[in-house]
Amino acid sequence: MSYDADLIIVGGGLSGLSAGITAVKEGLNVILLERGDYSGAKNVSGGRMYVHALRKLIPDIENAPLELPISKESFEVHCNNRKLYFSFEEKSDNSYSILRSKFDRWLAQQAENLGLIISYSTLVTNAYREENGIVLDTNRGSLKAPLVIDASGVTSVVFRFLGLRNFSPKKWMLGVKEIIKSKENEEGEAKTVIGAVKGVKGGGFVYTNKDTLSVGMAVIFDSLPKSEVPAKDLVEVFREREGIEGEVLEYSAHAIPYYGYDNLPPIYDKNVIAVGDSAGFLINDGFTIRGMDLAIGSGMIAGISAKRIIESKNYENTEIYYTLLKESFVLKHLQLALNRFKLIEEDRTLSIYPEVICEVLSSMFTVSEERKYLIDEALSRLKEKGISLGQLLIDLWRGVK
Amino acid sequence: MIDLLKRLGLNTYNVDKKSHIEVNTDICLTCKDKPCIVSCPAGTYEADKDGRIIVHYERCLECGGALVICPYHAIKFHFPENGVSYRYG
Ligand SMILES: Cc1cc2nc3c(=O)[nH]c(=O)nc-3n(C[C@H](O)[C@H](O)[C@H](O)COP(=O)(O)OP(=O)(O)OC[C@H]3O[C@@H](n4cnc5c(N)ncnc54)[C@H](O)[C@@H]3O)c2cc1C
Ligand code: SF4
């Protein structure tokens, strides 16, 4: 069987480009296929990147189109007509707000400078096994390789066509987002909002960019049919409730994987490896959604693994990827986040607890003849909702662990 | 009311409308609560007065949602011509 390349990568987002950059540096002959006219054309993220992995991929990130370093974290809980708000400030260059249409394009340019061949406007329409390799059908013809990296994001096209994916609305979130024109911002702020739109299981976010705001929501798909607001109006309703005004420059939406460490789909199989969203690598701990650093990290590990697999000529044995992943921050962080991931799945976390906190605070700030004690107030409210002190303590422990 | 199409006209997905969705008309059972209508962030699905589902292919943002939300897996990604067409329930 003759091959068109050592390695074909499907998807030119962060995970695919990171895999491509690493594999090219390792000396492999690589082709990357991207359906968009350019990288970033079809990529959506809320827009906060933890840059530790990027610094390993591209040591000099000075010229990267990052927006602002996030130096203020805010958290807002809504319940009926009440709102709890707290914030924390710290000068840090640990994470930045970014706009993917600019950022991915820049990263693709870095990859091309290193010699990665990227074929744009190339849509993979089918994948199947043939002899000792994988054939990919595209709108521009078919390509064959002994090893394929699926970096196509949440819809994991290669794994799907090979019959290695079952999707479920419980395992996906919908992300909707607007970019709003704003005044020049000096400081990067990341705001998480819980409870702003009733009936949906999820939260909202607001990130400040240089002269825009990224405003959006991430909601579990399964809760949408029960929501009081249809998905197409979600972000607008959220923005209005947050009192954010300004010209809408862009509207976008994207599904987000929501598997959790103990429920990950298959991430490697004979001749194929999945990276980033395609492998379900996403952390949602209630405060942040983290997929981009995991996409870059898993992409880099896939690039290194590809070199070893191709050198060994045993293309079916892709387990080395999993071995390296287990030693890396990708699977370790996913495992660490498992408790909090499970906690936010429980109804009480996003609905009952915020309500109890608001009710207790409200009664503490309301002065009447009757004297109230914070602890008594909290315990009686929890009891009304059927939650014991033991349950609360367990949840608190799971939340901070 | 949002002017959805105007907003979509501003979005990054506009660069390429080659890949879209396909609805398998044999499978679609037009569920009562119509998850595809309420869950699509682009307003791609609408019901006409007879309860048939109209698909506005040109609105689709390719978010992937319809792949998971249809309980009968009647919706798949495919490449039809742009524009409005019917599916029958
Ligand atoms: C609303 C929202 C908010 C988020 N907020 C954050 C955040 O603040 N911080 C964070 O770290 N993460 C966030 N995430 C998650 C993050 O965006 C993803 O984890 C990350 O983009 C995954 O990168 P990827 O390269 O794996 O996939 P993608 O970025 O989805 O890239 C996949 C690529 O594959 C291409 N492709 C797909 N199908 C085909 C095909 N058939 N043929 C050819 N090419 C194809 C696509 O065009 C695309 O370029 C958010 C996500 C959303 C949707
Ligand atoms: S992929 Fe997303 S935008 Fe397109 S029809 Fe399905 S739900 Fe709507």
Side-chain angles (χ1 to χ4, degrees), chain A residues 264-319:
Chain A
L264 286 174
I267 52 183
Y268 66 96
D269 201 81
K270 289 175 193 171
N271 313 78
V272 277
I273 288 173
V275 291
D277 276 12
S278 170
F281 295 152
L282 189 109
I283 293 175
N284 182 347
D285 60 9
F287 286 87
T288 41
I289 290 184
R290 252 180 75 192
M292 292 193 274
D293 60 324
L294 302 172
I296 294 176
S298 58
M300 289 167 72
I301 294 166
I304 295 167
S305 312
K307 167 79 172 174
R308 301 219 193 148
I309 296 162
I310 286 159
E311 261 179 0
S312 77
K313 292 209 171 3
N314 185 358
Y315 311 120
E316 293 196 352
N317 188 3
T318 49
E319 201 179 339

Side-chain angles (χ1 to χ4, degrees), chain B:
Chain B
M1 248 316 260
I2 51 165
D3 186 355
L4 195 73
L5 283 176
K6 184 167 161 254
R7 282 168 57 193
L8 296 185
L10 295 164
N11 108 33
T12 49
Y13 285 74
N14 246 10
V15 292
D16 169 8
K17 286 247 178 270
K18 277 167 239 154
S19 73
H20 278 281
I21 40 177
E22 181 192 46
V23 179
N24 185 334
T25 52
D26 296 335
I27 305 177
C28 168
L29 298 175
T30 15
C31 328
K32 234 204 220 139
D33 55 354
K34 310 245 186 305
C36 53
I37 297 184
V38 288
S39 308
C40 175
T44 305
Y45 308 97
E46 272 173 9
D48 72 5
K49 59 178 181 7
D50 301 321
R52 289 180 302 191
I53 304 251
I54 306 167
V55 187
H56 296 276
Y57 290 113
E58 82 293 350
R59 292 185 186 174
C60 175
L61 298 172
E62 295 171 29
C63 79
L67 285 178
V68 298
I69 206 67
C70 171
Y72 306 104
H73 306 291
I75 300 162
K76 292 201 158 71
F77 276 14
H78 199 64
F79 329 100
E81 293 301 308
N82 285 354
V84 180
S85 62
Y86 270 101
R87 71 169 157 139
Y88 300 92

Side-chain angles (χ1 to χ4, degrees), chain A residues 65-243:
Chain A
L66 302 166
E67 292 287 307
L68 296 170
I70 302 289
S71 55
K72 186 172 175 186
E73 309 270 357
S74 314
F75 201 72
E76 212 175 277
V77 182
H78 290 238
C79 26
N80 299 326
N81 54 353
R82 301 167 186 137
K83 186 161 106 177
L84 170 74
Y85 179 86
F86 61 89
S87 63
F88 169 73
E89 283 183 44
E90 181 184 30
K91 288 262 168 289
S92 157
D93 59 359
N94 174 41
S95 72
Y96 286 79
S97 54
I98 68 161
L99 295 167
R100 292 287 297 275
S101 52
K102 282 189 203 163
F103 187 85
D104 288 23
R105 212 168 184 168
W106 171 83
L107 191 62
Q109 189 60 59
Q110 308 302 305
E112 285 176 319
N113 293 347
L114 288 166
L116 179 67
I117 296 167
I118 306 182
S119 176
Y120 293 108
S121 306
T122 307
L123 179 83
V124 172
T125 55
N126 198 7
Y128 51 91
R129 296 179 188 282
E130 204 178 85
E131 294 166 44
N132 191 16
I134 303 261
V135 180
L136 298 171
D137 289 343
T138 82
N139 56 336
R140 295 159 172 249
S142 299
L143 291 166
K144 276 181 256 173
L147 187 66
V148 170
I149 294 181
D150 188 346
S152 63
V154 62
T155 55
S156 21
V157 292
V158 182
F159 275 62
R160 179 156 51 98
F161 289 131
L162 293 177
L164 298 164
R165 280 290 180 277
N166 286 318
F167 297 137
S168 144
K170 286 194 175 57
K171 297 287 162 216
W172 277 17
M173 288 186 288
L174 172 68
V176 277
K177 180 185 165 190
E178 284 179 347
I179 295 180
I180 309 288
K181 187 137 192 58
S182 75
K183 60 176 186 2
E184 296 261 322
N185 297 304
E186 307 254 297
E187 240 193 318
E189 177 178 357
K191 184 155 79 167
T192 307
V193 184
I194 300 292
V197 179
K198 266 197 146 178
V200 296
K201 219 167 157 184
F205 55 83
V206 182
Y207 298 120
T208 45
N209 306 314
K210 281 180 182 150
D211 55 4
T212 54
L213 296 176
S214 295
V215 184
M217 290 200 78
V219 175
I220 296 177
F221 258 106
D222 203 30
S223 77
L224 281 166
K226 292 158 224 146
S227 145
E228 65 176 27
V229 179
K232 68 180 173 42
D233 298 335
L234 264 183
V235 63
E236 187 169 79
V237 169
F238 170 66
R239 173 166 51 77
E240 279 168 8
R241 294 201 181 154
E242 281 296 294

